[in-house]
Amino acid sequence: MNITLSDGTTSITLPVDMVWADRHSWSPVEQTVNTSLTGAAIVDVGTRLTGRPLTLQSDEQHAWMPYASVSQIKEWADIAGKQISLTIGADSFQVIFRHHDKPAVDVFAVIDYDTPDAQDWFYGVLKFTEV
């Protein structure tokens, strides 16, 4: 399953073994239940059109990303409201970085160098929200 990020000009291929951590934990159905003065339940139900969180994870053992990719992702994340396309297999999403759930990009070097090269490996968590 291919995983790619693109802003329309630049594309990045992420490791295929990154884990989509919250793939099955989101539901578009929103519901509130209140009680009326008579004790009856007042149920309000709706369907969210956007807002799905998409979290991609790698760790010290698998799904490493080259520093060149991490640098591009960080550059995109540093632009407020930057929309990018996230493709996971056959699914495609327009996303923004999830800055309200800091950090939106949380990466670590597999081997920590003072000045990483483009090919040095990193792992971590990338947090997005579908728009």
Side-chain angles (χ1 to χ4, degrees), residues 58-60 62-65 106-110 121-125:
S58 61
D59 61 35
E60 294 178 27
H62 79 288
W64 296 349
M65 300 172 279
D106 194 18
V107 294
F108 308 92
V110 173
W121 296 107
F122 283 71
Y123 65 94
V125 178

Side-chain angles (χ1 to χ4, degrees), residues 10-80:
T10 304
S11 293
I12 296 172
T13 300
L14 297 174
V16 296
D17 52 346
M18 284 193 91
V19 175
W20 181 0
D22 45 12
R23 180 178 214 149
H24 301 293
S25 63
W26 183 80
S27 172
V29 177
E30 283 291 325
Q31 177 177 319
T32 60
V33 179
N34 293 301
T35 305
S36 73
L37 291 174
T38 64
I42 302 171
V43 180
D44 209 5
V45 179
T47 302
R48 283 195 276 182
L49 301 176
T50 62
R52 179 184 193 150
L54 293 113
T55 305
L56 300 177
Q57 295 179 333
S58 61
D59 61 35
E60 294 178 27
Q61 304 301 316
H62 79 288
W64 296 349
M65 300 172 279
Y67 183 64
S69 294
V70 169
S71 294
Q72 181 61 62
I73 292 166
K74 182 69 173 121
E75 186 177 309
W76 286 335
D78 288 344
I79 301 170

